C-alpha cells in the first residue's frame, strides 16, 4: 500500500488500525535516521505466503490487534461481540466508552429545589449519583483513561518457603486480570502478554531443575520474544540448577543484576518484564533466598493506548502530569511536550523524591575531578540533554521561558560532595516560596527572603539550610549578580557555606568555601549539583 517513517512498532500498528484496507505491516530499522520504516500491506502472509520474504532485523505483524478489535478481519463489517472490548462500538470499534455526566447545584433560595431540603448537589456519572451531598462544595474525580489495563499478580513459591500452597513443594501463580495462566511447572513459568491489547498470547514452563537443556531452551524462548510484549516470570519449587545460560536473556526483558537468589537452590523469583526496546518504568522484580519467600508482585499496567509519556508521539505535558496519571512511579527518562505544539522533549523525571513529578532542568555531575566543564544554556529546550550531559545548567531566561509553558510552582536544589555534606531543599508552598520561584525564573529581580521559603529534605545535613538568618541580607542570591542565578551564589553564608559553580574555575562549592583557612572539601568523582522544577 504505502511506506512511512515511524518512531516504533506501536506507531506502525496504529497507522494500520486507522486504515480500512490495511491487513498487516512490516517494520524495518533505519539506522541512518534513528527511526523505523513502516510498510502497510493490504494482504496477510496467509493470503500471499509466497510474497513474505524474511529480512534480518525486520518484524512482520499479521493479525494486528487494535485496542478493541482485530483489523485483519474485514473492517467494513460490524464488529462481532468477540472482537470488541466492552463499551466500544462501531464498524471498526472507533467509539470508545463515553462518560455521561449530569451535575445539578441547588442553592437554598433557588426555586424548584429538592423538596424537604435546603438544596442538594447532584453529580451523576452514567446515571449513578456519586455526590457526597455535603453542604458546600462536592467533588467527584473520574479517571480520564479509558484504555484497558492489565492487572498482574505473580507469586513464586520455593519449596522451603513458609506459607506455600498446602500439600505441594511450592506453586508458581501468574494471574492476569484475576485468571491464573501459569503452566505450574517446576522451574521457570513464563506468560507472554500483548502490551497493546492486554491479551495473553501464550504460556510455557521450563524445568530448569530436572532437565539440563532447559536453561538453553528458556534463553532461546526469551530472546525470541519480539515487539511490545509484557513478560511474566515465576519460579516454582526449584529452578536454579540449569538456569545459568538464560541469565542474560532474563536481563534483556528487564531482570536486574540482583539475581543472587535466582541461582540459589530453591530460591524464589518473580518478574514483570518487557521485551520491547524502550523499557517502561513499571518493570518489577522480587527475589528471595530459600526459606525467605515467597516472592510476590502485584501491579497494574496500562495498555500502550493509555501510555502518554514513554513515546515521542504520545508525550505528557510535564513530569508532574505523568506522575498524576498514576501509572509511572520510577525515576527515568520520559517524553514531555511543554508547549503542546507537537515538538516533545525527552527529559529526566524524578518520580520518587517528595512525592515525585520533578523535572530535571540543570545537572552537573563530576566524572573527572580535574575537569571544570560547565555549559550555561539560554534555551529551556536544552533540558533534554540534562541527564546525558552532566555539565549543563540553564539560565534564568530559559527558566522564565519554561515557566510560561509549564507553570511550575516549586524548585528543588540538591548538591552533594562525597567528602562533604548535602544541601537538599524544596521551595515552600507559600508566598515566600513563590518569591524564590519567581526570582530564579527572572520574573522579578527582588531577592527573596531565605527563612520560611524552603523545606529541608531528609538527606539534607548542610550548615547552609540551618543558618537561613545568616545568609547574605537573609536572602537568596546576591545583589550584584549579573546572570547565572542557578549556578552562581544561589545561596550562601558569607565566607563559610556557598552554592557556587564557576565555569572553568576552582570554585565548585556545595556548603563549603574554597578560600584559604576555610572549610573546603575539594572535588571528587560523583559530586553533583542539580536543580528540579515541579
Amino acid at each position: 500500500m504505502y511506506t512511512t517513517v515511524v518512531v516504533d512498532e506501536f506507531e506502525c500498528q496504529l497507522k494500520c488500525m486507522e486504515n480500512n484496507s490495511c491487513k498487516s505491516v512490516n517494520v524495518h530499522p533505519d539506522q541512518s535516521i534513528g527511526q523505523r520504516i513502516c510498510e502497510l500491506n493490504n494482504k496477510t502472509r496467509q493470503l500471499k505466503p509466497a510474497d513474505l520474504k524474511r529480512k534480518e532485523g525486520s518484524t512482520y505483524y499479521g493479525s494486528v490487534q487494535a485496542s478493541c478489535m482485530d483489523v485483519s478481519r474485514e473492517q467494513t463489517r460490524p464488529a462481532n461481540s468477540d472482537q470488541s472490548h466492552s463499551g466500544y462500538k462501531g464498524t471498526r470499534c472507533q467509539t470508545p466508552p463515553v462518560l455521561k455526566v449530569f451535575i445539578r447545584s441547588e442553592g437554598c433560595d433557588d426555586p424548584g429545589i429538592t423538596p424537604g431540603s435546603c438544596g442538594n448537589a447532584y453529580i451523576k456519572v452514567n446515571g449513578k449519583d456519586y455526590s457526597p451531598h455535603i453542604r458546600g462544595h462536592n467533588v467527584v474525580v473520574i479517571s480520564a483513561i479509558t484504555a484497558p489495563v492489565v492487572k498482574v499478580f505473580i507469586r513464586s513459591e520455593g519449596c522451603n518457603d513458609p506459607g506455600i500452597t498446602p500439600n505441594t513443594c511450592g506453586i508458581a501463580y501468574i494471574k492476569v486480570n484475576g485468571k491464573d495462566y501459569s503452566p505450574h511447572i517446576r522451574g521457570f513459568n513464563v506468560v507472554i502478554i500483548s502490551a497493546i491489547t492486554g491479551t495473553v498470547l501464550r504460556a510455557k514452563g521450563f524445568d530448569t531443575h530436572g532437565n539440563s537443556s532447559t536453561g538453553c531452551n528458556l534463553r532461546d524462548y526469551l530472546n525470541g520474544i519480539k515487539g511490545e510484549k509484557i513478560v511474566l516470570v515465576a519460579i516454582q519449587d526449584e529452578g536454579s540448577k540449569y538456569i545459568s545460560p538464560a541469565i542474560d536473556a532474563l536481563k534483556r526483558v528487564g531482570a536486574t543484576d540482583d539475581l543472587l537468589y535466582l541461582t540459589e537452590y530453591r530460591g524464589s523469583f518473580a518478574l514483570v518484564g518487557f521485551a520491547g526496546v524502550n523499557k517502561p518504568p513499571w518493570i518489577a522484580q522480587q527475589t528471595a533466598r530459600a526459606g525467605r519467600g515467597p516472592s510476590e508482585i502485584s501491579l497494574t499496567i496500562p495498555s500502550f493506548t493509555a501510555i502518554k509519556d514513554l513515546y515521542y508521539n504520545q508525550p505528557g505535558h510535564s513530569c508532574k502530569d505523568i506522575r498524576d496519571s498514576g501509572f509511572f512511579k520510577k525515576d527515568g527518562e520520559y517524553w514531555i511536550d511543554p508547549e503542546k505544539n507537537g515538538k516533545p522533549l525527552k527529559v529526566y523525571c524524578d518520580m520518587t523524591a517528595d512525592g515525585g513529578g520533578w523535572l530535571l532542568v540543570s545537572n552537573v555531575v563530576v566524572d573527572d575531578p580535574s575537569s571544570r566543564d560547565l555549559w550555561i544554556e539560554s534555551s529551556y529546550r536544552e533540558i533534554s540533554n540534562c541527564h546525558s550531559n552532566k555539565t549543563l545548567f540553564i539560565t534564568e531566561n530559559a527558566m522564565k521561558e519554561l515557566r510560561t509553558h509549564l507553570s511550575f510552582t516549586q524548585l528543588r536544589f540538591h548538591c552533594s560532595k562525597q567528602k562533604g555534606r548535602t544541601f537538599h531543599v524544596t521551595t515552600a508552598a507559600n508566598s515566600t516560596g513563590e518569591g524564590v520561584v519567581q526570582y530564579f525564573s527572572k520574573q522579578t529581580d527582588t531577592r527573596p527572603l531565605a527563612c520560611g521559603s524552603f523545606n529541608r529534605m531528609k538527606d539534607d545535613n548542610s550548615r547552609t539550610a540551618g543558618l537561613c538568618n545568616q545568609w547574605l541580607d537573609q536572602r537568596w542570591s546576591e545583589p550584584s549578580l549579573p546572570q547565572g542565578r542557578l549556578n552562581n551564589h544561589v545561596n550562601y553564608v558569607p565566607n563559610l557555606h556557598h552554592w557556587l559553580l564557576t565555569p572553568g574555575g576552582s570554585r565548585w562549592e556545595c556548603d563549603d568555601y574554597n578560600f584559604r583557612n576555610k572549610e573546603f572539601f575539594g572535588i571528587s568523582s560523583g559530586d553533583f549539583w542539580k536543580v528540579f522544577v515541579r
Side-chain angles (χ1 to χ4, degrees):
M1 290 172 53
Y2 72 89
T3 299
T4 185
V5 176
V6 295
V7 175
D8 51 32
E9 295 174 354
F10 177 50
E11 184 181 359
C12 185
Q13 292 169 335
L14 284 177
K15 290 184 180 295
C16 185
M17 296 172 194
E18 295 166 356
N19 190 300
N20 284 337
S21 301
C22 182
K23 298 295 187 291
S24 66
V25 298
N26 303 316
V27 186
H28 311 292
D30 190 326
Q31 302 299 333
S32 63
I33 61 175
Q35 294 182 303
R36 305 187 190 186
I37 304 300
C38 172
E39 294 178 352
L40 272 63
N41 312 311
N42 57 8
K43 302 292 183 182
T44 65
R45 68 177 181 180
Q46 287 80 11
L47 294 174
K48 292 284 187 176
D51 291 349
L52 182 66
K53 308 296 182 184
R54 296 190 180 276
K55 183 177 180 180
E56 186 176 355
S58 299
T59 305
Y60 166 83
Y61 288 91
S63 180
V64 180
Q65 294 285 333
S67 63
C68 74
M69 68 171 288
D70 181 349
V71 298
S72 69
R73 307 186 189 189
E74 189 61 49
Q75 293 182 325
T76 57
R77 298 176 185 172
N80 297 325
S81 59
D82 63 340
Q83 289 178 265
S84 304
H85 285 298
S86 176
Y88 285 81
K89 301 176 182 179
T91 57
R92 291 191 292 121
C93 311
Q94 67 269 30
T95 305
V98 295
L99 295 174
K100 296 181 179 180
V101 176
F102 171 80
I103 301 177
R104 177 182 170 93
S105 171
E106 300 177 351
C108 193
D109 297 329
D110 292 341
I113 62 175
T114 304
S117 74
C118 203
N120 228 323
Y122 298 93
I123 305 177
K124 295 184 178 182
V125 181
N126 293 336
K128 182 177 180 180
D129 187 12
Y130 290 90
S131 173
H133 298 295
I134 300 296
R135 181 177 59 187
H137 287 78
N138 293 263
V139 180
V140 174
V141 180
I142 307 171
S143 171
I145 298 176
T146 59
V149 295
V150 178
K151 295 183 179 180
V152 172
F153 173 78
I154 302 177
R155 178 179 169 95
S156 168
E157 300 178 351
C159 192
N160 296 336
D161 291 339
I164 62 176
T165 305
N167 304 317
T168 72
C169 208
I171 296 292
Y173 298 95
I174 304 178
K175 295 184 179 181
V176 180
N177 294 331
K179 182 177 179 180
D180 187 12
Y181 290 89
S182 172
H184 300 299
I185 299 296
R186 179 180 61 184
F188 278 75
N189 294 262
V190 182
V191 173
I192 310 300
I193 305 173
S194 168
I196 298 172
T197 66
T199 305
V200 175
L201 302 176
R202 56 188 182 274
K204 193 169 184 178
F206 299 85
D207 184 0
T208 51
H209 174 77
N211 188 330
S212 61
S213 64
T214 51
C216 294
N217 294 340
L218 175 59
R219 174 199 63 200
D220 296 341
Y221 183 77
L222 293 174
N223 286 337
I225 302 171
K226 306 297 183 183
E228 278 64 40
K229 306 293 191 305
I230 301 169
V231 183
L232 311 179
V233 183
I235 287 179
Q236 175 172 308
D237 182 356
E238 205 293 303
S240 66
K241 190 172 183 180
Y242 299 115
I243 188 56
S244 295
I247 294 294
D248 287 341
L250 285 166
K251 291 181 179 180
R252 188 186 78 85
V253 296
T256 68
D257 291 330
D258 183 19
L259 297 175
L260 175 63
Y261 303 136
L262 181 70
T263 57
E264 182 179 282
Y265 182 67
R266 288 183 170 171
S268 59
F269 175 78
L271 171 69
V272 178
F274 184 73
V277 176
N278 298 306
K279 299 302 184 193
W282 41 253
I283 287 177
Q285 173 184 306
Q286 291 293 330
T287 182
R289 68 188 317 161
R292 300 290 181 86
S295 293
E296 288 188 0
I297 298 174
S298 183
L299 197 62
T300 298
I301 304 171
S303 72
F304 272 32
T305 52
I307 293 176
K308 62 176 181 178
D309 58 353
L310 293 179
Y311 291 92
Y312 177 92
N313 59 334
Q314 291 182 303
H317 179 54
S318 66
C319 292
K320 183 178 180 297
D321 172 49
I322 295 168
R323 180 207 65 180
D324 290 346
S325 73
F327 288 119
F328 306 100
K329 300 179 181 179
K330 289 189 177 181
D331 303 342
E333 292 183 312
Y334 297 81
W335 287 97
I336 67 170
D337 187 358
E339 299 181 46
K340 298 182 179 180
N341 62 357
K343 297 179 180 179
L345 302 171
K346 194 173 189 179
V347 299
Y348 183 83
C349 297
D350 183 334
M351 296 300 197
T352 53
D354 190 42
W358 294 98
L359 168 63
L360 181 65
V361 296
S362 291
N363 185 35
V364 166
V365 181
V366 176
D367 287 330
D368 180 2
S370 65
S371 174
R372 295 292 188 276
D373 291 335
L374 177 62
W375 297 92
I376 308 296
E377 299 290 349
S378 58
S379 170
Y380 88 85
R381 296 190 67 84
E382 292 300 324
I383 63 175
S384 62
N385 297 315
C386 264
H387 192 44
S388 57
N389 182 357
K390 299 177 181 179
T391 60
L392 188 149
F393 261 62
I394 63 173
T395 64
E396 53 270 30
N397 286 325
M399 287 282 285
K400 182 178 182 179
E401 183 185 8
L402 179 62
R403 199 178 194 210
T404 62
H405 302 306
L406 289 189
S407 301
F408 53 83
T409 59
Q410 282 186 287
L411 303 180
R412 190 169 119 231
F413 296 93
H414 191 188
C415 71
S416 184
K417 285 193 170 183
Q418 303 294 311
K419 298 177 182 178
R421 294 183 290 268
T422 295
F423 175 81
H424 194 186
V425 304
T426 65
T427 55
N430 56 30
S431 58
T432 311
E434 170 62 19
V436 179
V437 177
Q438 290 185 11
Y439 177 77
F440 286 102
S441 301
K442 204 173 173 56
Q443 294 175 306
T444 179
D445 291 326
T446 301
R447 293 166 57 220
L449 290 171
C451 293
S453 68
F454 62 86
N455 299 311
R456 302 177 73 168
M457 298 289 282
K458 289 183 179 180
D459 61 340
D460 178 272
N461 61 358
S462 67
R463 305 282 174 78
T464 305
L467 298 171
C468 63
N469 61 339
Q470 295 183 35
W471 293 16
L472 182 68
D473 303 327
Q474 298 184 21
R475 294 178 180 271
W476 292 75
S477 193
E478 66 172 355
S480 59
L481 192 64
Q483 59 182 356
R485 292 180 181 180
L486 289 178
N487 62 286
N488 190 352
H489 286 91
V490 170
N491 50 59
Y492 69 107
V493 177
N495 301 318
L496 288 176
H497 314 297
H498 297 214
W499 169 303
L500 178 61
L501 288 167
T502 55
S506 61
R507 296 193 62 184
W508 282 34
E509 299 163 1
C510 173
D511 201 44
D512 56 359
Y513 180 38
N514 189 9
F515 198 71
R516 61 178 179 270
N517 300 323
K518 300 296 182 180
E519 184 181 43
F520 180 63
F521 302 115
I523 303 296
S524 304
S525 178
D527 292 352
F528 64 82
W529 291 255
K530 300 175 185 286
V531 181
F532 298 83
V533 303
R534 180 173 68 183

